[in-house]
Amino acid sequence: MTPPIIKAMSDIATRLTVSPAPHWRCGRTLNSMMRAHLLALIPALVAGIYMYGLSAAATVGLAGSVAVLTEVFCLKLQKREIDVDNFTALYAGILFAFLLPATAPWWVTVVGAIITITLGRTVFGGFGCNPVCASLIGWAFCRLSWPAAMDIDLNLANFVINEPLFQLQKFGVDTLSQFNYTDLFLGKQLGGLGASQVAALTVGGGFLLIRKWIRWYIPVSFLLGVGAVATLFWAIDPGAYAPPLFHILAGSTMFGALFLATDTASSPVGKLPQFLFGLIAGAMVVIIRVYGSYPDGVPFALMLTNLLSPLLDRVRPKPFGGR
Amino acid sequence: MLRIHYSLESELKGGIADIDAPQELSVQVRNLVLKTAKRKKVGHGEIIAEHPSQSGGAFHAAASGTVRDLDYHHLVITCDESGEAVDPADVASMAPGKELLRTLQGLGIDIAVLSSHAEMLVINGMNPEPGVSVAEQLLADEMKTLEAGLEMARTLIEPKQVVLAVADTKEYQLPGASMKAVKPKYPHSLDALVVKAVTGEEFPANTKVMNVMDLYALGKVVQTGKPITETVMTIDGHNYRVPIGTTIRHLLSCLDMKVSSGDTVVLGGSFRGEAVYSLDEGVRKGDYAMFVIPSDTFPRVEDVTCINCGECVLNCPARIQPNLISRYAEYEKFELAEEHGLHSCFECGLCAFSCTMRRPILQYIRFAKDQLRASGQGKQS
C-alpha cells in the first residue's frame, strides 16, 4: 500500500523541526571532539618546539597542511562533501609529525602525511573507517622505506643527550645510568618531536580524560600491560632488561597510551574489549622492544593490536535479559 | 551547551492545574477503526474510534462537538454544546471477568497488562524521564484515585505481591504494596530496569509492571465510570490536566509560550517522545509531557557514518552494541540486528543522546523493530 500523502496542516507560518528521539542530546560534535584533541596536543607541541627549535614547528606545520590538502583532494576525487573543517585530517597529520625526528627531511614529512591520509584512511572509506591508526601507517611506511631519514639518533646527532631506547637496544642496560627518570619524564630525551614529551603529553591526555573525550580503560590498561611485562622481564634478570618505569617513560609509550591507542576507529568499543586491547598492546610494546629490530615498539605494537580490534569486540556481555 | 540533567528528581510546584477548554480537538486516528463520520455530532465521552488490536483501549471525544474534518490521519472536532454526554458505566460493581475487561477497554484502558494473572505486580512510581514530574505529582496529590486503580488491578491480575518503586528521595506508600527505593537517575525509571531493581531479574516471567500514569487512568475510570478523555502532562516544570486532542497551539497560547520556526515541539518525554510537525497536532492519550526546544539548543541530528568511538556501547544499560545494530538497520539486515540483541533494547535513547556523530541510533533501532514486526505479520497472513 502506498501511504497517502499527508497534506501540510493549515498553518505553515511556523515550520517546526521534526527530528528523531532523543530530543535532548549531550551536545558533543565531531568538531568539538577534534578541537579538544588538538588542544590536548598543544603542550607537547610547545615543549617540542622549545626543545628542538623551529624545525619542529616546520615539520608539524608541513605534515598538518599536507594532510589537509591530501584529504581535500581525496574527497574531491570521491565526489564527497569537503569536510576538512572537522579537523580530523589536521589531527592525523599532526599525530604523524609527532612521531618524526624534528629535523626529518621535508620530503619524508610530505610523503608520510600523504600516506597517512590515503593509505591510512581514504582507501578504507575515510575518517572513522580505518582499521589501523592512520598516522601509524604513514609512520611505518616512511620508517621502512627510508630508515636513515627517520632515524632519531642520526637526525638529531647534534644533541648531547641520546635516544634512550636506542641505547638500550644497542648498548644494553648498563648505559641506562645516563638517564634519570625525572629527565625522561620532563622530555629530556631524544625521540619523536612530540612523542617523547612525556610530561606535556600527560597534561594534554589528562585534559582529554577529565573532559571524558577519551575513557581511561585503554590508557590505563596499556600502561599496565607495559608495566607488567616489563616487570616480568626485569624480575627474570635485572642485569639484562630495563626496569618497568624506564619502559613507561622512554620513547612514545605515553603518547601511544593517550593518543594513538585511543584512536576512535581502530580501537574496540566495549569496556572489557578496550581493557584487553590496552593490555595486549602494552605487552606487545615491551616484547617488541626486547626482541624486535626497531628500538621503539609502540607504533608496531599498536598497529598489530589494532588488527585485533574486531576480534576483541566479540568479547561482549550477554544482552539485557539474554539467554 | 545546555547542561543536561539525567536526574529524575522533581520539585513539585503546586498541584495539577487545569487548561482552558479548547475550541477544537484534533485526534490522531491513523490505523484506528473509526466509529464516527464527518459532520456527525459527538457528545462528551462518546466513542470516536476503536483500537484494532485485541487489547488496545478505545478513543473518546474529550468534549461535545461536531466532527469538522476527517482524513486518514486526523479527526478534528469543533467544540460546542450540541452533543450529549454519555452516561457513566458502573465499573466498580462489576465482577472480574471478560465483561469487565471489555467494559474497561471500551472506556479507553489498554487491557493487555490486566487480562492475565501474574505473581508480582510492580508499580513504577518513578518520574519517567528527565524534566517530567507527572508520576510524583500523582503520587502526592491523587492517592485516592491511585488506590482505586490499584484495587481494580489487584482484582484482575491477582498478584501475590505488589511493589511500588519510587525515587529514594521520596516517601510514598500505596496500601498493601511494599516499597522499593530506586535511584532517581535516568534510565532507572524505565519499566525493564525498575523490574530488575525490584526482582533482581531481567525480563522475568510472571511479573507485570504498570506505571503510575496508567494506574491513575484506571483509577479514574473505576471512580467515575467515564472514559479517559484527559491526560496529565508536565509542561515547563508544572503539571496540567489536558483534554486529549487539545492542539499544541491552544496549549502554547494558554501557557503563554512562544514557538518560532525551526524549533522542535515534543509530545512525550525528552528522551523517548515524538517531535510533532504542526502546531495543530493534538495531545495524544498517554502523553505525559510537552517540551519546546529552541532550534539552537542542540546540534542537529545527522545521518553520517559511525566512527566507532564506543560511547553508545559504554552508555547502553541493555549491554548491546547500538553502533553495530544501527548499521545493520541502516543496510536493512534486520535479522543480524536481531542476533545482536535488538530485542534487549528498551529504547532509553542514551545511545543517540551520547553519539558524537549525532547519528539517529534510536530511530534506526525502532525502525528495525518495526520492520521485523511488519515482516512477521506478513508471514502469518
Side-chain angles (χ1 to χ4, degrees):
Chain A
M1 186 191 85
T2 34
I5 297 162
I6 300 170
K7 276 180 267 173
M9 293 176 108
S10 54
D11 168 64
I12 49 164
T14 318
R15 290 173 193 269
L16 299 175
T17 305
V18 180
S19 63
H23 303 285
W24 287 1
R25 297 192 161 239
C26 65
R28 292 191 159 185
T29 64
L30 178 62
N31 200 290
S32 58
M33 176 171 115
M34 288 335 281
R35 268 182 293 154
H37 275 74
L38 285 170
L39 194 64
L41 288 181
I42 285 179
L45 181 62
V46 171
I49 294 172
Y50 177 74
M51 181 166 167
Y52 299 111
L54 281 180
S55 60
T59 306
V60 170
L62 189 61
S65 37
V66 168
V68 172
L69 290 175
T70 315
E71 175 80 356
V72 171
F73 181 71
C74 289
L75 289 173
K76 265 238 154 70
L77 273 189
Q78 298 174 83
K79 298 195 174 65
R80 285 169 71 167
E81 191 195 341
I82 311 285
D83 58 355
V84 283
D85 54 351
N86 62 20
F87 298 119
T88 59
L90 180 64
Y91 182 68
I94 294 182
L95 277 195
F96 165 71
F98 266 34
L99 289 163
L100 296 177
T103 53
W106 66 269
W107 49 270
V108 170
T109 314
V110 169
V111 172
I114 292 175
I115 295 292
T116 297
I117 297 300
T118 51
L119 268 187
R121 294 176 19 168
T122 304
V123 290
F124 298 109
F127 173 73
C129 306
N130 46 313
V132 175
C133 182
S135 314
L136 289 177
I137 302 250
W139 178 86
F141 183 92
C142 295
R143 187 73 180 83
L144 297 177
S145 308
W146 304 289
M150 292 286 285
D151 194 282
I152 304 260
D153 252 5
L154 206 62
N155 265 284
L156 305 169
N158 54 331
F159 278 82
V160 181
I161 49 174
N162 290 309
E163 184 194 5
L165 290 166
F166 186 80
Q167 296 287 314
L168 172 67
Q169 193 196 19
K170 300 292 183 221
F171 308 111
V173 181
D174 303 337
T175 58
L176 296 186
S177 53
Q178 61 181 308
F179 305 104
N180 73 50
Y181 290 143
T182 321
D183 281 354
L184 287 180
F185 180 69
L186 292 175
K188 285 180 190 157
Q189 54 172 318
L190 290 192
L193 70 91
S196 54
Q197 306 298 334
V198 182
L201 287 167
T202 313
V203 170
F207 162 74
L208 290 182
L209 280 169
I210 289 168
R211 299 302 303 272
K212 293 219 171 126
W213 285 110
I214 56 176
R215 303 282 190 132
W216 59 268
Y217 316 121
I218 291 181
V220 168
S221 59
F222 185 85
L223 294 178
L224 269 180
V226 171
V229 179
T231 311
L232 199 70
F233 278 110
W234 190 55
I236 293 170
D237 185 359
Y241 302 108
L245 196 54
F246 173 81
H247 277 296
I248 288 175
L249 293 176
S252 44
T253 311
M254 205 51 106
F255 185 55
L258 290 165
F259 291 92
L260 297 174
T262 52
D263 177 52
T264 56
S266 55
S267 62
V269 288
K271 195 168 168 179
L272 185 62
Q274 287 194 356
F275 209 79
L276 289 175
F277 172 84
L279 279 184
I280 296 173
M284 295 282 283
V285 167
V286 181
I287 292 172
I288 293 178
R289 279 181 183 178
V290 170
Y291 298 111
S293 55
Y294 291 94
D296 195 352
V298 173
F300 288 116
L302 279 172
M303 290 172 78
L304 273 173
T305 323
N306 277 161
L307 297 176
L308 289 179
S309 286
L311 199 65
L312 289 170
D313 262 336
R314 297 188 74 96
V315 183
R316 52 175 172 246
K318 272 187 194 152
F320 192 88
R323 290 129 283 138
Chain B
M1 193 173 99
L2 186 101
R3 256 193 74 175
I4 300 290
H5 299 280
Y6 286 74
S7 169
L8 296 167
E9 286 175 71
S10 55
E11 288 286 319
L12 296 180
K13 298 171 187 161
I16 307 173
D18 282 313
I19 285 280
D20 299 345
Q23 294 300 306
E24 223 170 47
L25 297 172
S26 167
V27 186
Q28 283 189 26
V29 291
R30 199 166 146 254
N31 293 346
L32 298 181
V33 183
L34 279 174
K35 289 286 161 185
T36 185
K38 203 167 172 177
R39 281 185 293 280
K40 253 193 163 175
K41 287 199 183 307
V42 288
H44 182 267
E46 194 175 323
I47 194 160
I48 49 178
E50 276 177 357
H51 203 273
S53 75
Q54 288 211 339
S55 54
F59 292 78
H60 305 82
S64 302
T66 316
V67 179
R68 176 173 69 80
D69 202 1
L70 176 61
D71 60 18
Y72 159 78
H73 199 253
H74 285 92
L75 183 147
V76 182
I77 298 171
T78 312
C79 302
D80 50 40
E81 299 301 319
S82 61
E84 284 173 34
V86 281
D87 296 326
D90 190 11
V91 184
S93 65
M94 288 170 86
K98 266 231 170 69
E99 206 195 325
L100 175 58
L101 284 173
R102 289 287 156 257
T103 313
L104 286 176
Q105 190 179 8
L107 291 173
I109 302 279
D110 187 331
I111 55 165
V113 67
L114 299 170
S115 44
S116 62
H117 295 179
E119 270 178 23
M120 181 184 265
L121 174 64
V122 177
I123 307 294
N124 181 354
M126 307 278 293
N127 285 327
E129 291 173 53
V132 184
S133 57
V134 173
E136 284 186 3
Q137 185 87 61
L138 291 176
L139 281 168
D141 293 0
E142 302 285 344
M143 213 31 132
K144 279 273 162 314
T145 313
L146 291 179
E147 282 168 18
L150 181 60
E151 202 45 52
M152 177 55 77
R154 221 193 271 272
T155 50
L156 286 167
I157 300 175
E158 295 183 3
K160 292 200 177 80
Q161 202 187 349
V162 180
V163 182
L164 171 70
V166 287
D168 59 11
T169 48
K170 295 280 161 57
E171 290 278 334
Y172 294 111
Q173 293 287 349
L174 272 174
S178 52
M179 205 189 85
K180 169 78 188 171
V182 179
K183 196 176 171 199
K185 188 171 178 273
Y186 193 73
H188 294 304
S189 57
L190 299 180
D191 286 351
L193 290 174
V194 165
V195 168
K196 190 187 176 186
V198 171
T199 63
E201 287 173 69
E202 295 173 346
F203 295 140
N206 237 334
T207 298
K208 294 201 168 182
V209 56
M210 284 183 85
N211 64 35
V212 165
M213 286 74 80
D214 291 346
L215 200 65
Y216 174 72
L218 180 62
K220 201 83 183 167
V221 166
V222 171
Q223 278 182 327
T224 62
K226 286 183 182 167
I228 302 171
T229 54
E230 59 182 28
T231 178
V232 181
M233 301 174 80
T234 306
I235 304 170
D236 209 15
H238 297 267
N239 288 309
Y240 300 95
R241 214 180 289 280
V242 181
I244 292 166
T246 307
T247 58
I248 290 168
R249 189 187 303 282
H250 179 75
L251 275 180
L252 293 173
S253 72
C254 282
L255 303 174
D256 212 14
M257 292 168 81
K258 293 272 177 294
V259 171
S260 46
S261 284
D263 295 355
T264 310
V265 176
V266 179
L267 278 183
S270 45
F271 277 67
R272 290 147 50 94
E274 195 178 308
V276 298
Y277 77 97
S278 162
L279 293 179
D280 292 318
E281 200 96 357
V283 169
R284 301 156 307 183
K285 191 159 74 180
D287 283 340
Y288 43 67
M290 184 185 79
F291 289 89
V292 175
I293 300 168
S295 55
D296 55 353
T297 317
F298 300 107
R300 192 158 56 88
V301 174
E302 279 182 353
D303 198 7
V304 290
T305 49
C306 169
I307 59 163
N308 260 321
C309 66
E311 281 302 317
C312 53
V313 180
L314 296 169
N315 281 307
C316 181
R319 305 188 302 269
I320 54 172
Q321 293 181 305
N323 62 335
L324 276 183
I325 290 178
S326 68
R327 271 183 277 190
Y328 287 138
E330 194 172 353
Y331 294 101
E332 305 194 354
K333 302 204 178 297
F334 304 119
E335 285 75 20
L336 277 169
E338 210 170 6
E339 271 173 39
H340 279 78
L342 175 69
H343 293 301
S344 290
C345 171
F346 35 80
E347 302 182 13
C348 65
L350 284 179
C351 47
F353 174 87
S354 45
C355 182
T356 315
M357 298 303 283
R358 294 164 280 148
R359 278 166 62 80
I361 304 178
L362 177 59
Q363 184 72 8
Y364 275 130
I365 289 178
R366 286 177 169 171
F367 173 65
K369 284 182 173 176
D370 273 352
Q371 291 294 312
L372 284 169
R373 208 175 298 138
S375 66
Q377 276 170 6
K379 271 174 211 154
Q380 279 162 15
S381 63

